[in-house]
Amino acid sequence: MNWDEHLLLWNEANVKLLDIRHQSLAQGDELRSYKLPSNAFLWVTYGRGRVMLDGVGYAIDGFHLLHGGKGMNLDIISSGDRLEYDLIMYKALLAVPGNRYVDRLLKRSNPFQIQYGFTPHAPLALHSKFEIMEQSWRKLTLLDKLYAKAVLYRFVHECLGQMARQELGVKRVDLVSRATHYIETSYSEAITVQGLAELFGCSSSYLSRLFKKQLGITPNEYLIQVRIGHASRLLTETKASLQEISSSIGYLDVYYFSRVFKKQTGVPPLRYRSLAAQKPVQKNPFNSSEQAIVPRKAHSYNDNYSHYEKEGDLTMYKDLKLSAGAVMLLCMTLLFSGCGASTGFNDSSVAVGSPATAAQEQQHTKKVNHMMGESEIPVNPQRIAVNGLEDIMLALDAPMVHAQSMKGQYLYETLQAKKVPSVYTPGSLNFESILNSKPDLIIANLLASDTESYKQLSKIAPTIVYDRSDWKASIAAIGKALDLEEKAQSVIQDYEEKLLKAKEAIVAKIGADRTLAFIRPSQHDVQLFFPAFSYTSIAYKDLGLTLEPMLASLQDKEEEGAWGIEASLETLPDLTADYLFVTVGGSFDSEVEAQAALKEMNAVEELNAWKSIPAVKQGHVYKMSSRHWMLNGPTADSMKIDDVLAAFDLQ
């Protein structure tokens, strides 16, 4: 710590003494999660115990002085016969604001917000000043309170002097850590970025930049994540009404809460509750309220508005931690159900839920490399459970006993015709359903970081993992794993031929330099997709359409590989694209949700901002179904080609 800077800021500050509070804790008594309402000194005068200040622990035995900033969380546990302490609460402002040098110092190292604690080598010198200050503060006259304020300066002078002589430093607490902690403990309050910035003594733009740098999201996005995490817990664990839940997490408008909830989870609150009620074994896909919900930093957009994930992948089950009860269910079911699934891959003598003839055929295994490493799988699997790679598996005509799909989704009817049981669980893997299908092999689309889900799947059956967004590489790898290489290459070749013919037809019809904007609007904002977005890249990268100029300019300002941006509806008239491709809703929307999304789109089409778009005026707007445009696979991408050809009257 730079003592000169520290002392300069104290000298430049106008300090107001707010209160002095005395407290005594008996042995075993605790003060839990007390949020400091202002900057404060904690002066311990007697006893033994432990103090936690924003997660930092201090062992107390006799005199001890600590300092913390407004909003810090204080916990005290008494381990002696009693523990005596006082809180000296104050507020500090620069006496003469506007001095650039001092302002920069305050922003870089605010002495009123930093945390420190030490055992003074001369405690009575501090205590004598404290007693005079407290006695004056307890009196009612303004003159005495003014004297108490003056003694506070003497107390601070003695404190800093002893720290300097003992060569003690202070603990610099990361602003983002403090802000996230404050949000997690105060999410039900009215929180704004400006308010957070004022609380921690910095500008709102500076705080937002720190959040973006460290977490990849804004403070407001973090607040939403925390609030919706608590809401999902309340929806699954209580019978509280939407109004009660909305109010308890800081949203007074229940309609706005419902919209935010759907944007975060992909489903409305009541549907989320009903789906959770059907799955008593599983917890909701958010972490428990005691934990911070911090998305990974990435730049790709997820179809169901949930999180930003690597390479635009729409993974419906992200980082789901299986509860102890669910793990026990898996283990007990494996033990008693007679399915015979082995938790290891090397016991080739055990059949996995198949007749004896199938077991004999599957005694041979092979090692397969995939996204999660190497697994030993049956040579001739007959009962494959699939999650997220159904499009590829249908193209290979592989034997499936479990799939992820729902009525209205583009593969649902095909799966039904093939009598493949289809289950869809928003935001998570349905481990129980997969287990009940008695698979001898599981093929899944997971994030590379989702090792926990991979471990749980591997307890059910050998599991191999591939990336849906790069379906050509994945179908080739899966074809090799299942001894269907020729079929896989045939699927790729047929698709490439169709793509080449479509591109040639499009160029011949409209030319090679016509511009396109691919967007997804709502009544409040619009998502503008860049070519890097894996679900819509086919229109730009494969079919040869040129990115709209304004989007190209915005793309240059973003990091490489960004999925796109969210913008206000006021930007719509700035789109000068020759053609506008529009999608609404999500790939796994229910019919009710799909109709609601179309209704919302109809409202957008009535806006002047929409009617001002050049492509709208020229009648060059084409609506694409999210049910296949927001997913990847040989069938989905083939349907996308058909959509583009139809838009240009080439079918």
Side-chain angles (χ1 to χ4, degrees):
M1 181 177 72
N2 187 316
W3 285 104
D4 288 338
E5 292 181 357
H6 195 89
L7 293 171
L8 172 62
L9 289 168
W10 268 102
N11 275 285
E12 292 290 331
N14 181 5
V15 178
K16 181 178 181 181
L17 181 59
L18 300 177
D19 198 6
I20 299 176
R21 300 178 187 176
H22 178 77
Q23 183 68 45
S24 177
L25 298 179
Q27 185 173 15
D29 282 353
E30 299 179 358
L31 174 71
R32 288 291 187 182
S33 300
Y34 176 72
K35 193 182 306 174
L36 293 179
S38 67
N39 307 325
F41 288 98
L42 176 69
W43 179 227
V44 180
T45 56
Y46 182 87
R48 290 186 294 107
R50 184 166 180 80
V51 175
M52 297 287 289
L53 193 55
D54 254 15
V56 179
Y58 300 87
I60 304 298
D61 189 1
F63 285 109
H64 206 96
L65 183 67
L66 296 97
H67 180 273
K70 180 180 179 181
M72 286 187 176
N73 209 55
L74 177 64
D75 297 274
I76 304 177
I77 303 173
S78 173
S79 57
D81 56 350
R82 75 178 193 280
L83 192 147
E84 304 276 347
Y85 68 90
D86 294 88
L87 277 174
I88 307 164
M89 301 181 182
Y90 73 93
K91 181 178 182 180
L93 298 172
L94 291 181
V96 183
N99 184 312
R100 291 185 178 180
Y101 175 70
V102 174
D103 286 342
R104 284 197 298 270
L105 284 184
L106 187 66
K107 186 176 293 185
R108 184 170 71 237
S109 177
N110 188 333
F112 317 115
Q113 290 287 335
I114 57 179
Q115 174 189 145
Y116 49 87
F118 73 108
T119 301
H121 66 83
L124 295 182
L126 271 170
H127 193 59
S128 63
K129 293 174 178 58
F130 168 75
E131 286 184 318
I132 295 171
M133 177 171 55
E134 182 187 33
Q135 291 167 7
S136 298
W137 180 255
R138 299 301 173 203
K139 297 178 181 178
L140 299 178
T141 69
L142 293 176
L143 189 61
D144 285 309
K145 290 191 178 295
L146 178 61
Y147 185 60
K149 177 181 176 179
V151 179
L152 173 60
Y153 280 104
R154 294 170 60 192
F155 180 85
V156 172
H157 173 266
E158 182 65 32
C159 165
L160 298 181
Q162 291 199 33
M163 286 183 68
R165 288 190 293 273
Q166 292 178 233
E167 298 182 347
L168 297 173
V170 299
K171 181 175 180 63
R172 186 181 298 279
V173 182
D174 175 56
L175 273 180
V176 172
S177 297
R178 291 190 59 197
T180 55
H181 181 79
Y182 182 85
I183 289 171
E184 290 157 19
T185 56
S186 310
Y187 60 88
S188 62
E189 301 174 8
I191 297 177
T192 64
V193 180
Q194 183 63 37
L196 281 173
E198 291 176 357
L199 179 63
F200 300 121
C202 64
S203 68
S204 56
S205 60
Y206 178 70
L207 185 62
S208 296
R209 286 198 302 273
L210 285 181
F211 261 76
K212 274 288 187 180
K213 181 178 180 180
Q214 294 187 30
L215 303 182
I217 57 174
T218 66
N220 191 53
E221 288 168 338
Y222 188 89
L223 172 63
I224 291 172
Q225 296 279 346
V226 171
R227 284 176 168 174
I228 298 306
H230 284 279
S232 39
R233 176 179 58 81
L234 292 171
L235 284 166
T236 56
E237 298 178 7
T238 75
K239 295 188 180 297
S241 68
L242 288 190
Q243 183 62 62
E244 290 170 333
I245 293 174
S246 176
S247 299
S248 73
I249 63 171
Y251 293 125
L252 299 181
D253 186 340
V254 69
Y255 173 78
Y256 179 73
F257 158 66
S258 297
R259 177 178 176 79
V260 172
F261 189 93
K262 181 182 176 183
K263 187 171 183 179
Q264 289 294 308
T265 66
V267 293
L270 291 180
R271 183 158 180 261
Y272 182 93
R273 170 177 274 170
S274 65
L275 288 169
Q278 297 170 18
K279 302 173 293 168
V281 175
Q282 286 186 281
K283 291 187 177 181
N284 67 66
F286 290 87
N287 290 332
S288 64
S289 61
E290 290 81 8
Q291 297 173 329
I293 306 171
V294 186
R296 291 176 295 279
K297 183 176 180 180
H299 307 282
S300 298
Y301 185 74
N302 175 291
D303 162 59
N304 276 336
Y305 306 95
S306 303
H307 299 286
Y308 295 97
E309 299 294 349
K310 185 177 181 181
E311 297 183 7
D313 185 25
L314 172 66
T315 304
M316 303 306 300
Y317 28 85
K318 307 177 187 68
D319 296 330
L320 182 69
K321 304 295 185 185
L322 204 62
S323 66
V327 173
M328 182 167 287
L329 173 68
L330 289 175
C331 297
M332 295 299 290
T333 308
L334 287 169
L335 183 61
F336 297 116
S337 68
C339 72
S342 171
T343 58
F345 295 163
N346 297 318
D347 188 1
S348 58
S349 65
V350 182
V352 188
S354 307
T357 54
Q360 293 168 2
E361 292 175 2
Q362 295 177 25
Q363 286 181 353
H364 299 292
T365 61
K366 63 190 296 186
K367 290 184 178 180
V368 172
N369 291 315
H370 55 98
M371 281 178 57
M372 294 295 191
E374 184 181 73
S375 297
E376 193 165 347
I377 71 170
V379 167
N380 184 30
Q382 295 298 305
R383 300 182 60 81
I384 305 176
V386 182
N387 264 267
L389 296 164
E390 293 78 10
D391 198 327
I392 289 175
M393 299 299 285
L394 283 171
L396 292 174
D397 198 23
M400 288 186 281
V401 294
H402 182 283
Q404 176 186 260
S405 187
M406 63 180 291
K407 189 173 183 180
Q409 198 254 352
Y410 76 105
L411 296 174
Y412 183 78
E413 297 299 332
T414 304
L415 290 166
Q416 291 298 298
K418 289 181 174 290
K419 297 182 180 180
V420 179
S422 299
V423 176
Y424 172 62
T425 307
S428 68
L429 280 161
N430 192 321
F431 292 99
E432 184 179 7
S433 175
I434 296 170
L435 177 66
N436 290 337
S437 71
K438 299 180 180 179
D440 54 10
L441 177 66
I442 299 172
I443 301 180
N445 172 49
L446 298 176
L447 296 174
S449 61
D450 195 1
T451 56
E452 185 65 26
S453 291
Y454 174 67
K455 289 178 183 177
Q456 301 305 334
L457 289 174
S458 297
K459 292 178 181 179
I460 302 173
T463 301
I464 50 180
V465 177
Y466 300 94
D467 180 12
R468 177 175 53 208
S469 64
D470 187 3
W471 69 262
K472 293 176 194 174
S474 293
I475 197 172
I478 294 172
K480 183 177 180 180
L482 302 181
D483 295 323
L484 295 171
E485 290 179 85
E486 290 187 8
K487 179 65 175 177
Q489 291 304 317
S490 175
V491 171
I492 295 173
Q493 184 176 344
D494 290 346
Y495 174 80
E496 294 289 358
E497 290 176 356
K498 178 174 183 176
L499 181 64
L500 179 60
K501 290 179 181 179
K503 183 174 181 178
E504 291 173 347
I506 292 170
V507 171
K509 176 73 178 286
I510 67 171
D513 58 350
R514 305 305 292 273
T515 58
L516 168 71
F518 206 119
I519 68 173
R520 175 156 53 181
S522 70
Q523 285 182 284
H524 299 280
D525 53 28
V526 58
Q527 292 154 359
L528 308 170
F529 298 119
F530 297 155
F533 186 41
S534 62
Y535 300 139
T536 59
S537 64
I538 183 174
Y540 298 110
K541 294 183 177 180
D542 297 336
L543 294 176
L545 292 166
T546 303
L547 182 62
E548 196 273 345
M550 185 189 78
L551 293 186
S553 176
L554 292 172
Q555 180 183 236
D556 291 340
K557 299 176 183 178
E558 299 294 322
E559 293 188 27
E560 184 177 355
W563 65 268
I565 64 168
E566 291 184 343
S568 66
L569 294 175
E570 285 73 18
T571 62
L572 290 174
D574 297 330
L575 293 172
T576 61
D578 297 312
Y579 302 100
L580 195 63
F581 286 1
V582 181
T583 186
V584 295
S587 58
F588 282 85
D589 276 356
S590 66
E591 191 57 36
V592 172
E593 291 165 338
Q595 291 301 317
L598 288 174
K599 185 177 180 181
E600 190 170 11
M601 182 63 208
N602 292 336
V604 172
E605 291 176 316
E606 295 301 317
L607 300 175
N608 289 331
W610 176 264
K611 295 177 181 178
S612 301
I613 301 173
V616 174
K617 294 179 180 179
Q618 297 166 14
H620 290 169
V621 178
Y622 307 101
K623 294 181 181 178
M624 308 297 184
S625 172
S626 290
R627 298 204 186 278
H628 56 275
W629 270 94
M630 293 300 148
L631 290 172
N632 287 120
T635 300
D637 284 6
S638 180
M639 293 172 71
K640 295 174 189 179
I641 294 173
D642 292 339
D643 287 347
V644 178
L645 291 174
F648 297 135
D649 296 322
L650 291 170
Q651 280 192 327

